[in-house]
Amino acid sequence: DFPSGFKTRGEIIGTDSDSDIAVIKVDAPPEELFPLPLGDSDQLSVGQSVFAIGNPHGLYGTMTTGIISSLGRTMQSLREAPGGAFFTAGGIIQTDAAINPGNSGGPLLNLNGEVIGVNVAISSSSIAANGQPVNSGIGFTIPINIVKRVVPFLIADGSYDYPYIGIGSPQGGELNLFEQEALGISQSTGVYIINVSPDSPAARAGLQGGDEANSITYPAGGDIIIAIDDAEVRNLNDLISYIILHKSPGDTVLLTIIRDNQEIQ
């Protein structure tokens, strides 16, 4: 449906389950199309005012407003990883602009009317009578710079291949102080490796996960990734955002890790 009432069918050109983005081709006259300018999600700041547009609960063309609550969130991807787990999506924008079922796929805009992200999900602890999650003021948005990278491949090839390392880590990657002390490691920042996926890039590079037989809070003895190339890694989002935005499958990266309280590359 278009705002004028014009209706047409769409053809799915490509989909990406990591960013939850699809490219759809429609046969519509030019006067029905109003392209929105794209912003730069690398220039966003917490506290910045934003607007969301979508169809919450079927209410077509609803606009809500709020701020950017946080940057650099991670969330589980819809793509299954080898071994049955799921990949992690990074760089996610968190907003308190009201987002509900039906907002997914709608834009998040800055005050200049530029699209800075595509709304994708909400975090909710309440369920409505119809089984739908209820807005809790925590919405998640795929940053537009990831969309810019993915969409040309969806148009050309119908899919997009993400680079990956092949490690399991705690939620967010970073340990709290109690976990750090229990594991006997020198720092809590960085990405602590719980396990390494067989036949993955991480396994071929010699990264080490924890020993399941020596498990306290998490298996002890895992490597801690503290840098990738020249970029500091404080948490899982730093790592994932770097490889998603700057690397492609087959590229080589240099990881700085802490193993046995010694820094090595």
Side-chain angles (χ1 to χ4, degrees), residues 82-83 85 165-170 191-198 200 202-203 207-212 218-223 225:
I165 293 178
I167 61 171
S169 70
V191 174
Y192 182 74
I193 301 178
I194 297 176
N195 55 63
V196 175
S197 300
S200 66
L207 290 175
Q208 296 180 6
D211 181 2
E212 293 287 350
Y218 295 109
D223 294 334
I225 301 173

Side-chain angles (χ1 to χ4, degrees), residues 87-130:
F87 286 111
T88 301
I92 307 297
I93 302 166
Q94 179 185 331
T95 180
D96 67 351
I99 293 175
N100 287 283
N103 275 105
S104 295
L108 190 72
L109 305 110
N110 61 20
L111 293 181
N112 295 325
E114 298 169 329
V115 181
I116 55 172
V118 178
N119 301 318
V120 64
I122 62 173
S123 176
S124 178
S125 58
S126 301
I127 303 296
N130 61 0

Side-chain angles (χ1 to χ4, degrees), residues 138-230:
I138 301 176
F140 299 112
T141 301
I142 300 295
I144 200 62
N145 287 7
I146 289 180
V147 178
K148 289 178 186 178
R149 188 174 176 91
V150 169
V151 163
F153 287 90
L154 296 184
I155 294 173
D157 305 323
S159 62
Y160 181 75
D161 291 328
Y162 283 84
Y164 84 107
I165 293 178
I167 61 171
S169 70
Q171 181 69 32
E174 186 177 342
L175 301 170
N176 62 41
L177 180 60
F178 300 105
E179 292 164 343
Q180 175 193 345
E181 292 173 343
L183 292 169
I185 56 180
S186 58
Q187 67 181 76
S188 59
T189 56
V191 174
Y192 182 74
I193 301 178
I194 297 176
N195 55 63
V196 175
S197 300
D199 301 321
S200 66
R204 293 193 294 271
L207 290 175
Q208 296 180 6
D211 181 2
E212 293 287 350
N214 185 13
S215 179
I216 307 168
T217 52
Y218 295 109
D223 294 334
I224 308 170
I225 301 173
I226 60 172
I228 179 168
D229 294 336
D230 294 325

Side-chain angles (χ1 to χ4, degrees), residues 11 16-17 59 61 79 87 105 119 128 131 141 143 157 161 163 184 242 260:
E11 174 190 359
D16 173 39
S17 55
L59 299 173
R79 189 188 303 272
F87 286 111
N119 301 318
T141 301
D157 305 323
D161 291 328
Y242 181 87
D260 299 327

